[in-house]
């Protein structure tokens, strides 16, 4: 009985994963937050689908993820090498990163 229920749950999850991927193919760069609202799914459920069936294609990068943080740090470092005396506002124009985020990363990563 339990095995049958697990199979049904797995099949339903796979079906929902494919529905989400179809949606992403039509609406490129939708975020996980957008998918949560559109499909009425929890963040952890969407992550679990990706672990089981593979990463979603055309998904917008997680703005809060470690990859984005490292990308921002690298961008700020490069801008500071070119413009060592630049103010936060100037760095914001150069990097297109929010000024408050620039200040936060400079402080946390000791970039100056």
């Amino acid at each position: 009985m339990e095995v049958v229920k697990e199979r049904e749950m797995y099949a339903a999850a796979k079906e929902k994963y494919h529905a989400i991927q179809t949606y992403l193919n039509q609406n490129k760069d939708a975020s996980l937050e957008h998918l949560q609202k559109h499909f009425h799914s929890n963040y952890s459920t969407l992550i679990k689908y990706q672990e089981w069936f593979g990463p979603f294609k055309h998904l917008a990068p997680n703005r809060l993820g470690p990859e984005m943080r490292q990308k921002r740090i690298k961008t700020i470092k490069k801008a500071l090498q070119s413009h060592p005396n630049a103010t936060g506002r100037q760095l914001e124009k150069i990097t297109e990163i929010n000024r408050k985020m620039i200040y936060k990363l400079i402080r946390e990563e000791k970039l100056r």
Side-chain angles (χ1 to χ4, degrees):
M1 194 66 128
E2 284 184 30
V3 174
V4 172
K5 192 162 195 143
E6 281 183 31
R7 283 186 193 151
E8 288 174 0
M9 288 174 56
Y10 185 83
K14 192 165 193 165
E15 188 175 315
K16 192 154 190 176
Y17 171 85
H18 286 298
I20 292 169
Q21 188 57 64
T22 300
Y23 179 83
L24 283 170
N25 290 341
Q26 296 168 352
N27 301 283
K28 292 183 176 19
D29 292 329
S31 65
L32 280 176
E33 183 179 279
H34 181 80
L35 293 177
Q36 281 178 274
K37 291 176 185 173
H38 188 79
F39 286 96
H40 308 289
S41 295
N42 292 328
Y43 179 83
S44 58
T45 303
L46 295 172
I47 297 300
K48 187 61 76 178
Y49 289 163
Q50 292 183 86
E51 290 172 2
W52 288 348
F53 309 116
F56 292 125
K57 293 179 179 77
H58 310 299
L59 182 65
N62 183 356
R63 296 181 319 174
L64 305 175
E67 299 88 14
M68 182 60 79
R69 179 182 174 91
Q70 292 306 316
K71 183 178 177 184
R72 287 176 176 160
I73 290 168
K74 186 178 178 181
T75 303
I76 294 169
K77 282 182 180 179
K78 188 176 180 181
L80 285 171
Q81 287 174 348
S82 303
H83 306 88
N85 298 323
T87 65
R89 289 184 190 274
Q90 291 167 334
L91 288 171
E92 183 177 37
K93 285 183 180 180
I94 295 166
T95 63
E96 297 181 357
I97 298 172
N98 181 283
R99 184 172 20 115
K100 290 182 180 180
M101 178 59 70
I102 290 171
Y103 291 139
K104 178 182 177 195
L105 292 174
I106 287 174
R107 184 180 61 250
E108 290 177 358
E109 299 294 324
K110 299 176 177 55
L111 299 177
R112 280 194 179 171

